[in-house]
């Protein structure tokens, strides 16, 4: 390689000894460039030229000298000069191509799949799988795993449904012992309340709470929590409604009995059903929804003809704050004070609209209801019985129950809330949601701090706190009001789970 500078310092020529390439020829205008600048330029070029020579030599050895242009040379030299392998993009493209091919290929029936990824790799090495075969086997393994997980989830939901519908041994024992005590102990059969307290049952200066239940342990928690949380417990009157047999005459309708007690999987295509939808259908088939106790709240004006206002409570609630202010709330002429369930931070619990409960493909539902209308919660409601008696709420409720029977129970899912949503339509006064926090029976991610602040917490859902499937971190809110030292409770071995 030769470097030649003209005597006048006006031109600079660089050439190879064998004439391989004439890299550059520069003419310099002395008037515009100083000798110092030219000298520095020559030094820089002298430093770079050896590297250029080495690269040219490497390219020549690899046969890249077939390129006839600097553009071709640059494309070849660039990735190597920067330490990159230009084969990577090509490999990625080939991989995507194989994935697209395998995605449309039918997996052969009876193909034997490895039990683990390590086994797959081992078989690949032993059998010399090509990329397509390896990817096909991997896809088959993933699909098999997805099926097994899905089937396991549905089995879990079904088992949970049966667990939620059953009566725990301790509660069954408690009912038997108390029944025996009632039959053998005259003191247990005394009139309640005592005659001198009877006037309190219809005195509107007291705070009246209504509880409909057949679970004596749950009822004791509701009453105890209400009394302990009240600022004036002496002003509380509890009206507890129960019966000897939960499944009464309504059940002898064959369609209802089959719906709630039939095969809960028959006719269900699990491949087209999400676990969440399946769980909702199972909950809708809970036997409690044909219990008259669950429908009695629609008759409150007739059951308590002398009362003006009552707070109705489900037996799976815990009262943590004085509820007497609820009875002083102005419902603005409405009948039902309830917490709306379409507004709130919890998207799982507080996102319920009419579309979540009703079948809007049914023409009667589509004609009369708005799918976007906000739903509200049963379980802790303030009822203005005086205003209620001026409405046709009960007749509306009965009408829609009959229409649902005529439609083979296809107009809605779940039990008593949907017909109530229709019957109380236009008669609901929204109250602050801090009065009633829902979802502790099906939402494992319940915010514990919010639960501590709520006036009433509601274990609606399958995971009741008295069941083994109850959420352990939420159970203490309920168990703190159970008297585990009671003889009947101890004799039935009811203890904190």
């Amino acid at each position: 390689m030769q470097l030649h500078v003209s005597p006048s310092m006006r031109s600079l020529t660089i050439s190879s000894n064998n004439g391989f390439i004439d890299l550059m020829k520069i003419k310099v205008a002395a008037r515009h460039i100083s000798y110092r600048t030219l000298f520095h330029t020559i030094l820089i070029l002298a430093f770079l030229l050896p590297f250029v020579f080495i690269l040219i030599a490497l390219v020549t050895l690899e046969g890249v000298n077939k390129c006839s242009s600097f553009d071709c040379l640059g494309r070849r030299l660039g990735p190597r000069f920067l330490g990159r392998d230009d084969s990577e993009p090509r490999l990625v493209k080939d991989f995507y191509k194989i994935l697209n091919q395998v995605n449309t290929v039918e997996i052969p029936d009876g193909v034997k799949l490895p039990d683990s990824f390590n086994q797959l790799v081992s078989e690949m090495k032993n059998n010399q799988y090509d990329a397509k075969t390896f990817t096909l086997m991997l896809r088959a393994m993933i699909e098999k795993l997805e099926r097994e997980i899905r089937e396991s989830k549905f089995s879990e939901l079904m088992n949970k449904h049966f667990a939620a519908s059953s009566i725990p041994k301790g509660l069954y024992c408690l009912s038997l012992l108390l029944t025996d005590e009632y039959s053998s102990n005259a003191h247990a059969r005394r009139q309640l309340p005592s005659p001198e307290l009877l006037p309190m049952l219809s005195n509107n200066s007291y705070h009246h709470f209504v509880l409909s239940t057949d679970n004596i342990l749950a009822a004791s928690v509701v009453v105890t929590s209400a009394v302990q949380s009240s600022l004036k417990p002496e002003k509380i009157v509890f009206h507890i409604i129960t019966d000897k047999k939960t499944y009464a005459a309504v059940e002898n309708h064959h369609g209802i009995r089959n719906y709630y007690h039939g095969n809960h999987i028959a006719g269900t295509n699990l491949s087209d059903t999400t676990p969440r939808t399946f769980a909702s259908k199972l909950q809708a088939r809970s036997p409690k929804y044909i219990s008259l106790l669950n429908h009695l709240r629609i008759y409150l004006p007739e059951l308590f003809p002398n009362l003006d206002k009552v707070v109705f409570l489900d037996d799976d609630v815990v009262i943590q704050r004085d509820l007497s202010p609820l009875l002083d709330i102005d419902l603005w002429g409405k009948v039902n004070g309830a917490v709306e369930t379409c507004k709130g931070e919890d998207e799982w619990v507080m996102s319920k609209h009419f579309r979540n409960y009703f079948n809007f493909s049914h023409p009667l539902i589509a004609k009369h209801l708005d799918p976007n209308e906000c739903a509200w919660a049963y379980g802790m409601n303030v009822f203005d019985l005086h205003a209620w008696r001026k409405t046709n709420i009960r007749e509306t409720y009965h009408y829609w129950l009959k229409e649902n029977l005529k439609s083979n129970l296809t107009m809605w899912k779940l039990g008593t809330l949907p017909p109530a949503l229709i019957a109380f339509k236009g008669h609901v006064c929204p109250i602050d949601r801090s009065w009633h926090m829902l979802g502790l029976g099906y939402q494992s991610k319940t915010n514990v701090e919010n639960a501590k602040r709520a006036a009433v917490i509601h274990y609606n859902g399958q995971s009741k706190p008295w069941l083994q499937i109850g959420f352990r971190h939420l159970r203490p809110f309920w168990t703190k009001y159970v008297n585990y030292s009671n003889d009947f409770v101890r004799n039935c071995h009811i203890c904190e789970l």
Side-chain angles (χ1 to χ4, degrees), residues 21-271:
I21 189 169
D22 187 359
L23 281 178
M24 57 181 67
K25 180 181 288 186
I26 304 174
K27 291 185 179 180
V28 183
R31 295 178 181 177
H32 302 289
I33 301 178
S34 66
Y35 291 126
R36 182 186 296 274
T37 302
L38 181 60
F39 178 72
H40 288 164
T41 302
I42 293 172
L43 286 179
I44 293 172
L45 291 173
F47 177 77
L48 292 176
L49 285 175
F51 291 98
V52 174
F53 175 78
I54 293 172
L55 286 174
I56 293 173
L58 289 174
V59 170
T60 303
L61 290 174
E62 292 183 3
V64 186
N65 55 334
K66 294 180 181 179
C67 291
S68 59
S69 67
F70 276 98
D71 179 62
C72 174
L73 183 63
R75 290 199 307 270
R76 297 298 184 104
L77 288 177
R80 298 181 184 276
F81 184 72
L82 296 176
R84 298 195 303 265
D85 187 353
D86 61 351
S87 64
E88 290 181 9
R90 187 167 60 252
L91 288 174
V92 172
K93 290 181 179 179
D94 291 342
F95 180 65
Y96 287 154
K97 183 178 180 180
I98 292 172
L99 285 178
N100 289 330
Q101 292 175 351
V102 169
N103 191 43
T104 58
V105 173
E106 289 289 335
I107 298 175
D109 294 332
V111 62
K112 185 178 179 181
L113 298 176
D115 295 325
S116 66
F117 183 76
N118 289 337
Q119 185 178 344
L120 174 63
V121 174
S122 177
E123 290 186 7
M124 179 187 72
K125 293 178 180 177
N126 296 334
N127 299 326
Q128 296 296 306
Y129 288 162
D130 58 19
K132 185 176 181 179
T133 303
F134 174 78
T135 308
L136 184 64
M137 294 290 286
L138 190 60
R139 174 194 155 197
M141 289 178 63
I142 293 174
E143 291 183 356
K144 178 186 176 184
L145 182 62
E146 287 176 344
R147 286 194 302 270
E148 291 175 350
I149 293 175
R150 186 180 181 83
E151 291 170 0
S152 176
K153 184 64 176 178
F154 283 121
S155 297
E156 176 191 350
L157 292 171
M158 180 60 73
N159 292 334
K160 189 174 182 180
H161 168 69
F162 290 134
S165 303
S166 63
I167 300 175
K169 184 169 62 176
L171 290 184
Y172 182 70
C173 167
L174 185 61
S175 297
L176 291 179
L177 288 185
L178 291 173
T179 301
D180 181 65
E181 182 72 11
Y182 182 83
S183 62
S184 60
N185 186 342
H187 182 68
R189 297 193 299 274
R190 74 185 188 279
Q191 180 181 348
L192 289 176
S194 56
E196 65 271 16
L197 297 179
L198 280 175
M200 295 170 55
L201 296 179
S202 56
N203 189 334
N204 282 298
S205 65
Y206 286 85
H207 305 141
H208 294 271
F209 299 93
V210 180
L211 174 64
S212 179
T213 181
D214 61 351
N215 186 329
I216 188 64
L217 187 63
S220 71
V221 169
V222 176
V223 174
T224 302
S225 65
V227 171
Q228 292 186 11
S229 303
S230 176
L231 298 178
K232 295 180 179 180
E234 69 278 2
K235 297 290 288 183
I236 291 180
V237 177
F238 257 97
H239 305 263
I240 299 179
I241 306 170
T242 188
D243 65 357
K244 295 180 180 179
K245 186 179 180 182
T246 300
Y247 309 113
V250 175
E251 193 198 7
N252 58 27
H253 187 287
H254 176 74
I256 298 177
R257 182 171 63 252
N258 183 65
Y259 180 82
Y260 288 106
H261 298 288
N263 188 336
H264 294 166
I265 299 182
T268 301
N269 187 351
L270 297 184
S271 62

Side-chain angles (χ1 to χ4, degrees), residues 295 298 358 376 378 393 396-398 400-401 404 412-425:
H295 292 269
I298 204 67
F358 295 100
W376 46 267
Y378 251 169
I393 289 174
T396 303
Y397 189 87
H398 287 165
W400 284 96
L401 285 180
N404 194 36
W412 61 71
K413 55 187 177 182
L414 303 180
T416 56
L417 180 57
L421 291 176
I422 305 177
F424 285 97
K425 194 172 183 297

Side-chain angles (χ1 to χ4, degrees), residues 320-321 437 447-455 457 477:
Q320 303 184 126
R321 202 165 75 218
M437 182 175 182
N447 187 305
V448 174
E449 293 303 317
N450 288 345
K452 291 178 181 178
R453 292 190 293 268
I457 55 174
F477 291 107

